[in-house]
Amino acid sequence: MNNKFTLFICSLLLLLSFTNHSQSKNSVGITTGFNRGFGVNANFTINDIAVGLPGNIRFGIGYNRLSPGNAPDARRIFINNNTNGVPEKKGKSFDYRIDYMMPHTFFNLKNSYLVFGPRYSSFTANFNYVGGNENFDVTSKQWGIGLGAENYFKMTSKLDLVLATGLDYFFNSTLKGHDTQYSPNNDNINPREDYNYKDANQAIKQPQLMPRVMIGVSLNL
């Protein structure tokens, strides 16, 4: 398992263990909507994290369907200059996020928050050339940061409607595909022709700027 993901899970389990000693209410939620493409996110929130420190801590995991990039360019940069076959492509990412939720009034709405924190993304772009005998993935693992605003509207005593907007930014990371690898410092492995990281990064749409507009529900436990 990736060391960074292991660290994320260990941090989550450690902080969740603190909730056994907390008298405050926690919550779970799910949101869906636009996250550069279609996205869905599940989360767990520890409310009122400390006496005298306003706000909540939230842990989330998301799945997104994304445009993977340019199929002909991906083939040239990662494999060869063949053009046979009908290209099919698809992209996806899993993101892991920690948010500090600071109470902040937006548009005179009472139950609203400014949210920000670190992000981690695992991205896969798949390119299949039907009839061309080529089917390969390009992958990347990225750290990022995020900022957003959220509003909560009471539906029942335990259930809230959630409206969330925000923007995540992910830092450029190594792109790996087939037997080729392009790194931001251009310490590349088996690059094709004279291609470099800039070419690969333009061809493959790994997460970078990820605008979010999502709606969902939050259940108070």
Side-chain angles (χ1 to χ4, degrees):
M1 181 179 295
N2 185 277
N3 290 335
K4 295 174 182 177
F5 177 60
T6 302
L7 178 61
F8 180 92
I9 295 298
C10 290
S11 300
L12 174 59
L13 293 175
L14 178 62
L15 286 170
L16 288 181
S17 69
F18 294 159
T19 65
N20 294 330
H21 305 288
S22 173
Q23 299 301 314
S24 63
K25 292 181 180 180
N26 302 317
S27 59
V28 295
I30 187 168
T31 56
T32 187
F34 176 77
N35 191 17
R36 206 190 85 179
F38 170 77
V40 60
N41 176 273
N43 57 72
F44 175 85
T45 302
I46 303 172
N47 296 312
D48 302 323
I49 53 178
V51 176
L53 179 62
N56 312 327
I57 289 289
R58 181 176 62 197
F59 303 88
I61 181 171
Y63 169 78
N64 310 293
R65 290 206 306 257
L66 309 171
S67 169
N70 186 293
D73 287 349
R75 189 177 194 175
R76 283 191 293 268
I77 293 169
F78 284 89
I79 300 183
N80 54 42
N81 288 318
N82 291 344
T83 58
N84 58 319
V86 178
E88 296 180 347
K89 59 182 183 177
K90 55 187 177 182
K92 64 180 180 181
S93 71
F94 290 92
D95 63 65
Y96 311 91
R97 57 188 58 234
I98 301 176
D99 280 307
Y100 174 63
M101 304 174 64
M102 182 175 69
H104 186 84
T105 300
F106 295 101
F107 308 111
N108 293 321
L109 297 172
K110 294 181 179 179
N111 198 9
S112 57
Y113 297 88
L114 179 68
V115 301
F116 54 90
R119 310 285 186 255
Y120 182 70
S121 171
S122 175
F123 170 73
T124 301
N126 175 260
F127 300 96
N128 181 26
Y129 303 84
V130 179
N133 196 32
E134 292 288 0
N135 187 337
F136 69 100
D137 292 337
V138 178
T139 63
S140 68
K141 312 288 185 182
Q142 299 167 269
W143 284 102
I145 54 176
L147 175 69
E150 297 185 6
N151 294 303
Y152 289 70
F153 303 91
K154 186 66 65 177
M155 298 174 66
T156 71
S157 60
K158 286 186 171 291
L159 193 66
D160 294 335
L161 175 69
V162 182
L163 299 179
T165 61
L167 180 67
D168 296 334
Y169 176 78
F170 290 92
F171 303 101
N172 284 340
S173 183
T174 298
L175 290 163
K176 300 178 181 179
H178 206 253
D179 59 351
T180 297
Q181 180 173 307
Y182 295 93
S183 297
N185 63 1
N186 275 318
D187 184 15
N188 304 322
I189 296 175
N190 197 27
R192 304 304 183 193
E193 299 183 359
D194 294 325
Y195 293 118
N196 57 29
Y197 182 80
K198 181 179 179 181
D199 301 316
N201 196 40
Q202 288 178 343
I204 306 299
K205 289 189 175 181
Q206 66 176 331
Q208 189 170 42
L209 288 175
M210 298 281 287
R212 295 163 51 85
V213 180
M214 307 187 85
I215 186 171
V217 293
S218 178
L219 177 66
N220 299 312
L221 301 178

